[in-house]
Amino acid sequence: MTDLSDIQVKDARGRIFDEIRTIFRKEKSGRRLTGLLTGRIDSLLSGIFSSAGGTDGVVLIATGGYGRGEMAPFSDIDIMVFAPDKSQAGLAERIFYSLWDTGLEISHSFRTAEETIEEAFKDIKTRTSLLETRYVAGDKELYDSFRKKVYPEIAFRRQKEFVREKLQEMEKRHQGTGDSVYLLEPHIKEGEGGLRDFHTAYWLAKVALKIDTPSDFFGLLGAYDLRRFLGAYDFLLRTRFGLHLESNRRNDILSFEFQRSVAAGLGFRDSQKFSASERMLRYYYLKSRVMQEISRQILIACSKSYVKTFRSFFVRKITEEFSLSGGKLIMSKEGLLRRNPAKVIECFYLFSKTGKKFSEALKENIKSNLVRLDGRVRNSPEAVRYFLEILKSDRVYETLREMHETGVLGRFLPEFGALSLLVVHEPYHMYTVDEHTLIAIRNLERLRTTTYKKLEELGSVLKKTADIECLYMAILFHDIGKAVGRHHEEEGYKRLKGIMERFNLDRAKRIKIELLVRNHVRMSMTALKREASDIEVITRFADAVGDRETLDALYLITYADMSAVNPDFWTSWRAYLLKDLYLHTAEYLSGLREDGEEHISGLLSLVSEKDVPAFESFIREMPGRYILSTSKRKVMDDFRLVENVKKESFDMRIDIGPDGIAELSVSAEDCPGLFSRIVGFLSSKGLNIVEGRLFTGKNGIVIDKASVSNWKEIWWDGLSGDLEEGLRKIIVHDMPVNVVRREKKAEVPFGVFIELDNEASDEFSLLEVFSPDRMGLLYDISDVMFKAGINIVSARINTDGGLVHDVFYVQSGKSKLTGESALETLSEIWAVLK
């Protein structure tokens, strides 16, 4: 019996970790790394088992990831003490107490054969972990008995149910982690193309095909695919191992914070064009894509045993060269793609037209002829015609996705191929450039059939659009300049010219596509950073757009582009801002803008005769931009607010829009620093402010409006009353604001940016701020401006993904900011941001 002292046990975790850090720097194989760590844990647990009095009649079994031998530094250690009956419960308890002293994360259980089978069928996670059992210490004969009698019951009963549940679990898991291989912060374990896809394929193969070890996949995959599959698995294991060491905790998300250090640990170095972390990610995507592709192949093989399929052997001719057989597209003439490579594009045209997938033979034939998709094919009128027909079909996204995954899209359009797996760190972006583009195309196409109420208007705009292929081309090519770096617009435009020449489009379509590509960020930037109620803004934007048809196209492309940034970027607030700009511009282009005096006359007709003098006074006292930017109903409500302020010095109102955005209108007598105190108080209550507008009447009464995006999430029954009481105290009774400040949560690969723009508006200076977010930041920025005597007239507050992008319309007195005082203010705000 091996005795381990208390000191040895309690120091075990530290000793093991010191050792594996040294090993990691030398060992290049992920499987060997995890195997070495597993071996160290085995030795430790075996010693503890023996020291606690482990005897014949009881066995220590590794389960789950530990049973698989796949240990990362902070992985859970799953064990089961197995015995014929409960007489060994005391021994099991002594073993568990000794294990807790190690400081390792250990999940444990003590079970008999009957209990093991019972627990396995109560919970699929327990059943799954028991599929990967391995002997660690104790009675070897008892373990052999477990494998012969208990394991088959767990693995081979109710197989169909297990396969179905695991497939459903995988689909749900992918949706929860971004539903794409190509995330800029991938989840190494749970994400699509991650380690869990390998595990799922392995578990299902164990149950459905009775495969026992990964090397047994040879018969199913063949030598080449097995080597690729295990190579991808090996790299993901080593990456996860390095991530655990760098973050010093159990962490499976390869976030920006750790990418540089993990890349260095894996041996990646900066190149002239790309950083080490960008090079690592591109390699990661290659391996992850292999994992996705081959695990899917295994899952299909496992599912076939449980799904009845009707297969027709009837062959239906589609063209002279292509037919349908068994529900799949086949090639009727051998060597066709070798002799005429342009026919590859026709294959995908038929894919889009019929909705039928390629046979395995045709898919392999396409891949083997990729090298023949050269300049002649790219300039071939036949190939171009088929490609344009694809863009007019009902399966644009599905077809382009298949073209991209087979490598055809990048060969036919090398300008797009240069974006493959390209990592460009931009604020809020979650996907590689190629993936972002394809998701944008998918989101635009889905508008055709959407039943989602908030997208119905966009859907109706799409249905009225002529030359829809121009929209898809504009999206497909909108980011092609990024292959040469971040400031890509001009380079992208040059590359687009080359494509237009090859496609030989008529002049009108060329002009349309080029205009949309060159202006693809103009609408989002205007909507997010400018006031749509400002006639200057609308005039400039309308002049750039030119006509209603182009406005509609930009509206659709901007939606597609924004909604493909990340799954949460297209919010109700951003949808509102974009729609607001669209409607104002459409109205302007149609010549329907209402005259200011007519608008005021219309308002006066809504009030009772006795209120006309007071209401007319209210209208004349408020700034002109207030009347133009406020709906008639809200003008009436604001009038009542101001009338109450004359009596009580303070009043507020909360309007909840159909999109869930809450607008808080606060009215009071003007006083220094009012806006900064309001936002400081609202932020301390957890409200996410996305817009601020300030209107000061000539009589000194202010209406401050703050739009809040998370009202529904934080609402409770007494929230409105709590806000009103708190605001009244800080405004009327001059109570101090208890501003909550908190440091930023994590590193992001973006620096601080601040700019003063005196050209965009005739009246105001525009102060633009970009920075990592932290609690209390908005208050600190507005407080600096208050102390500098700068008046915030309006603000666009954009906070998302740990980043702040705010634009403030400001004045000093009645003028724009200039000179030394402006520089001092910018310097102070810079200090706050840094």
Side-chain angles (χ1 to χ4, degrees):
M1 184 186 294
T2 304
D3 281 329
L4 290 181
S5 69
D6 286 345
I7 293 173
Q8 281 180 300
V9 168
K10 288 175 181 176
D11 191 40
R13 184 176 182 275
R15 284 187 291 102
I16 290 172
F17 271 54
D18 287 343
E19 191 178 358
I20 61 169
R21 283 182 191 280
T22 304
I23 292 170
F24 178 75
R25 286 192 287 270
K26 300 173 184 174
E27 179 55 67
K28 303 302 179 189
S29 164
R31 281 187 289 166
R32 281 199 294 269
L33 269 172
T34 55
L36 285 166
L37 177 55
T38 302
R40 301 298 189 274
I41 302 294
D42 283 354
S43 297
L44 174 66
L45 299 196
S46 296
I48 290 171
F49 182 85
S50 299
S51 295
T55 60
D56 291 344
V58 65
V59 62
L60 181 64
I61 298 175
T63 65
Y66 177 43
R68 195 166 53 245
E70 191 186 281
M71 292 298 295
F74 289 90
S75 296
D76 273 352
I77 300 167
D78 300 314
I79 57 163
M80 177 174 69
V81 173
F82 182 76
D85 54 51
K86 286 294 191 181
S87 62
Q88 300 286 5
L91 171 62
E93 195 171 327
R94 286 198 302 278
I95 293 167
F96 297 149
Y97 274 121
S98 299
L99 292 174
W100 291 333
D101 285 339
T102 63
L104 296 166
E105 294 289 329
I106 295 177
S107 301
H108 59 80
S109 60
F110 170 60
R111 297 188 184 116
T112 62
E114 294 77 14
E115 287 172 335
T116 304
I117 295 167
E118 185 183 342
E119 290 298 319
F121 288 98
K122 274 185 188 175
D123 175 42
I124 193 164
K125 286 186 178 177
T126 304
R127 183 179 179 185
T128 304
S129 73
L130 289 168
L131 289 176
E132 300 186 291
T133 52
R134 185 174 54 81
Y135 172 82
V136 178
D139 191 327
K140 190 72 170 64
E141 286 185 11
L142 182 59
Y143 177 73
D144 291 340
S145 172
F146 167 84
R147 289 289 299 182
K148 286 176 187 172
K149 296 178 182 176
V150 179
Y151 180 82
E153 288 287 308
I154 295 166
F156 307 125
R157 267 177 52 192
R158 289 156 55 177
Q159 292 163 296
K160 185 177 181 179
E161 176 187 305
F162 180 80
V163 171
R164 186 183 68 248
E165 286 188 34
K166 276 294 163 191
L167 291 174
Q168 289 171 348
E169 183 183 83
M170 185 172 79
E171 185 179 353
K172 190 175 178 181
R173 173 169 49 81
H174 287 166
Q175 288 171 353
T177 53
D179 207 16
S180 172
V181 167
Y182 310 104
L183 302 177
L184 296 188
E185 294 185 289
H187 199 302
I188 300 173
K189 188 175 180 183
E190 303 289 347
E192 191 160 350
L195 285 166
R196 193 60 89 202
D197 283 5
F198 179 92
H199 302 155
T200 303
Y202 184 32
W203 295 329
L204 295 193
K206 275 175 169 282
V207 170
L209 306 177
K210 295 185 171 57
I211 280 174
D212 199 41
T213 66
S215 57
D216 294 339
F217 282 124
F218 175 80
L220 183 64
L221 300 176
Y224 174 66
D225 278 348
L226 178 61
R227 190 166 63 251
R228 291 169 68 221
F229 193 43
L230 294 180
Y233 175 55
D234 193 90
F235 175 74
L236 293 180
L237 284 178
R238 189 161 184 262
T239 305
R240 182 179 182 231
F241 205 100
L243 178 59
H244 276 215
L245 290 176
E246 289 300 329
S247 48
N248 205 32
R249 59 186 168 85
R250 183 169 56 188
N251 172 28
D252 297 322
I253 298 175
L254 192 52
S255 61
F256 296 136
E257 186 179 358
F258 299 110
Q259 283 177 9
R260 181 169 289 278
S261 56
V262 170
L266 295 176
F268 289 90
R269 299 290 177 264
D270 291 345
S271 69
Q272 199 170 4
K273 197 171 179 183
F274 297 106
S275 69
S277 57
E278 288 170 337
R279 293 180 69 206
M280 174 192 67
L281 283 174
R282 289 192 96 164
Y283 191 73
Y284 176 92
Y285 299 134
L286 287 169
K287 295 300 183 183
S288 191
R289 192 160 67 186
V290 168
M291 181 64 72
Q292 178 198 44
E293 174 195 329
I294 298 181
S295 60
R296 193 180 290 167
Q297 193 178 324
I298 295 168
L299 295 178
I300 290 168
C302 293
S303 305
K304 278 181 180 175
S305 312
Y306 306 105
V307 179
K308 288 184 179 179
T309 56
F310 171 75
R311 183 159 182 179
S312 168
F313 292 94
F314 176 73
V315 176
R316 180 164 69 86
K317 197 173 184 180
I318 302 174
T319 70
E320 287 301 313
E321 293 96 356
F322 298 99
S323 303
L324 279 175
S325 175
K328 293 194 173 181
L329 283 164
I330 63 169
M331 192 166 59
S332 310
K333 295 183 178 179
E334 194 63 38
L336 173 69
L337 303 186
R338 186 178 65 253
R339 293 190 304 272
N340 186 359
K343 289 289 180 182
V344 169
I345 311 301
E346 185 181 357
C347 291
F348 287 94
Y349 161 67
L350 295 172
F351 178 96
S352 71
K353 187 179 177 183
T354 64
K356 303 297 183 183
K357 297 188 182 300
F358 299 132
S359 68
E360 286 304 314
L362 179 54
K363 186 179 278 193
E364 286 306 311
N365 213 311
I366 288 168
K367 288 180 179 179
S368 65
N369 284 287
L370 281 178
V371 71
R372 292 184 168 83
L373 298 179
D374 54 16
R376 284 174 299 175
V377 175
R378 292 173 201 131
N379 288 283
S380 158
E382 179 190 16
V384 168
R385 178 168 56 82
Y386 282 127
F387 186 73
L388 293 176
E389 287 299 318
I390 288 168
L391 299 183
K392 295 176 188 174
S393 75
D394 293 333
R395 297 182 181 86
V396 180
Y397 166 72
E398 188 182 350
T399 309
L400 293 180
R401 169 66 74 185
E402 188 71 15
M403 290 180 79
H404 188 44
E405 291 188 356
T406 52
V408 169
L409 191 59
R411 291 288 300 176
F412 184 62
L413 294 168
E415 298 87 350
F416 184 80
L419 305 179
S420 185
L421 310 183
L422 180 62
V423 176
V424 177
H425 287 141
E426 291 185 300
Y428 316 117
H429 278 258
M430 187 177 188
Y431 305 105
T432 56
V433 181
D434 55 332
E435 184 72 356
H436 161 76
T437 301
L438 291 173
I439 291 171
I441 287 170
R442 180 197 70 188
N443 292 352
L444 180 67
E445 186 173 35
R446 283 179 176 176
L447 290 176
R448 287 173 163 176
T449 54
T450 187
T451 55
Y452 190 43
K453 203 153 189 67
K454 292 180 181 178
L455 295 178
E456 281 179 354
E457 184 181 18
L458 280 156
S460 67
V461 174
L462 183 65
K463 285 169 188 170
K464 292 184 292 184
T465 300
D467 299 328
I468 197 165
E469 72 275 18
C470 292
L471 285 187
Y472 287 121
M473 275 192 277
I475 295 174
L476 190 60
F477 306 137
H478 80 284
D479 274 344
I480 55 174
K482 284 186 179 176
V484 296
R486 286 173 180 78
H487 305 293
H488 63 283
E489 288 80 3
E490 199 55 43
E491 182 60 33
Y493 184 60
K494 288 178 194 171
R495 295 183 177 206
L496 178 63
K497 285 278 191 185
I499 299 169
M500 296 295 96
E501 285 171 16
R502 293 204 305 273
F503 278 27
N504 197 26
L505 295 175
D506 65 58
R507 186 171 179 275
K509 287 183 179 178
R510 286 190 191 197
I511 291 170
K512 183 175 183 178
I513 294 165
E514 288 169 7
L515 186 147
L516 293 174
V517 170
R518 291 195 87 165
N519 289 280
H520 77 271
V521 296
R522 183 187 289 269
M523 191 169 191
S524 60
M525 289 297 97
T526 305
L528 296 177
K529 294 163 66 172
R530 302 289 184 262
E531 293 283 1
S533 58
D534 186 338
I535 188 64
E536 280 184 73
V537 171
I538 297 302
T539 302
R540 289 181 184 182
F541 181 66
D543 287 347
V545 169
D547 56 51
R548 179 61 184 269
E549 185 183 337
T550 306
L551 174 66
D552 287 353
L554 268 180
Y555 186 35
L556 292 166
I557 284 175
T558 305
Y559 157 73
D561 192 23
M562 289 173 70
S563 65
V565 167
N566 68 57
D568 303 315
F569 190 75
W570 181 252
T571 59
S572 296
W573 175 242
R574 289 192 175 100
Y576 164 77
L577 292 179
L578 193 64
K579 182 179 176 181
D580 193 37
L581 176 61
Y582 172 74
L583 294 176
H584 274 86
T585 310
E587 194 177 76
Y588 182 92
L589 290 169
S590 304
L592 298 176
R593 276 194 75 85
E594 195 170 14
D595 179 78
E597 289 301 320
E598 283 183 26
H599 186 64
I600 291 170
S601 298
L603 287 167
L604 285 169
S605 67
L606 298 175
V607 296
S608 62
E609 195 172 331
K610 69 180 178 62
D611 286 332
V612 166
F615 186 71
E616 193 167 24
S617 174
F618 166 70
I619 292 293
R620 301 300 175 192
E621 285 165 357
M622 295 306 290
R625 62 188 178 82
Y626 167 78
I627 302 301
L628 290 174
S629 65
T630 310
S631 69
K632 290 179 180 178
R633 182 184 65 79
K634 286 189 179 177
V635 169
M636 302 300 298
D637 292 340
D638 289 345
F639 166 60
R640 284 187 280 274
L641 211 62
V642 168
E643 288 298 290
N644 288 339
V645 170
K646 290 175 182 176
K647 300 170 193 171
E648 302 180 21
S649 302
F650 170 86
D651 201 6
M652 70 170 282
R653 184 182 75 252
I654 301 172
D655 299 309
I656 313 295
D659 49 12
I661 303 291
E663 184 182 70
L664 280 69
S665 298
V666 177
S667 186
E669 293 176 7
D670 195 15
C671 61
L674 181 62
F675 178 70
S676 64
R677 292 161 72 194
I678 290 172
V679 300
F681 174 76
L682 296 179
S683 298
S684 74
K685 294 293 184 180
L687 295 169
N688 184 35
I689 302 165
V690 289
E691 184 185 44
R693 292 187 295 153
L694 296 77
F695 305 105
T696 305
K698 293 171 187 173
N699 61 354
I701 292 180
V702 173
I703 301 173
D704 284 358
K705 294 178 178 284
S707 296
V708 171
S709 65
N710 62 338
W711 182 263
K712 284 185 178 177
E713 287 85 343
I714 68 163
W715 182 88
W716 54 282
D717 197 33
L719 179 60
S720 300
D722 184 50
L723 293 177
E724 184 168 354
E725 183 185 352
L727 286 168
R728 187 183 295 275
K729 283 178 179 177
I730 66 166
I731 293 171
V732 179
H733 303 296
D734 206 25
M735 297 279 284
V737 182
N738 180 26
V739 179
V740 179
R741 290 182 178 83
R742 198 171 295 156
E743 288 305 308
K744 60 187 181 184
K745 291 180 183 175
E747 291 297 319
V748 289
F750 312 109
V752 169
F753 168 84
I754 182 168
E755 182 179 65
L756 188 68
D757 181 354
N758 274 330
E759 303 297 322
S761 170
D762 292 338
E763 267 188 276
F764 309 109
S765 294
L766 272 63
L767 180 65
E768 185 174 349
V769 170
F770 180 85
S771 165
D773 189 25
R774 62 166 171 81
M775 192 168 277
L777 183 62
L778 179 58
Y779 171 80
D780 288 342
I781 293 169
S782 55
D783 192 50
V784 166
M785 286 193 268
F786 151 60
K787 287 172 180 171
I790 293 170
N791 183 30
I792 300 172
V793 177
S794 180
R796 279 284 160 93
I797 315 295
N798 295 292
T799 306
D800 192 18
L803 295 170
V804 162
H805 192 183
D806 299 344
V807 179
F808 300 91
Y809 283 63
V810 298
Q811 288 179 325
S812 180
K814 297 285 184 182
S815 306
K816 297 181 185 182
L817 274 59
T818 55
E820 208 169 300
S821 62
L823 289 174
E824 284 177 15
T825 304
L826 292 177
S827 178
E828 286 182 41
I829 293 173
W830 179 265
V832 164
L833 299 176
K834 294 297 277 188

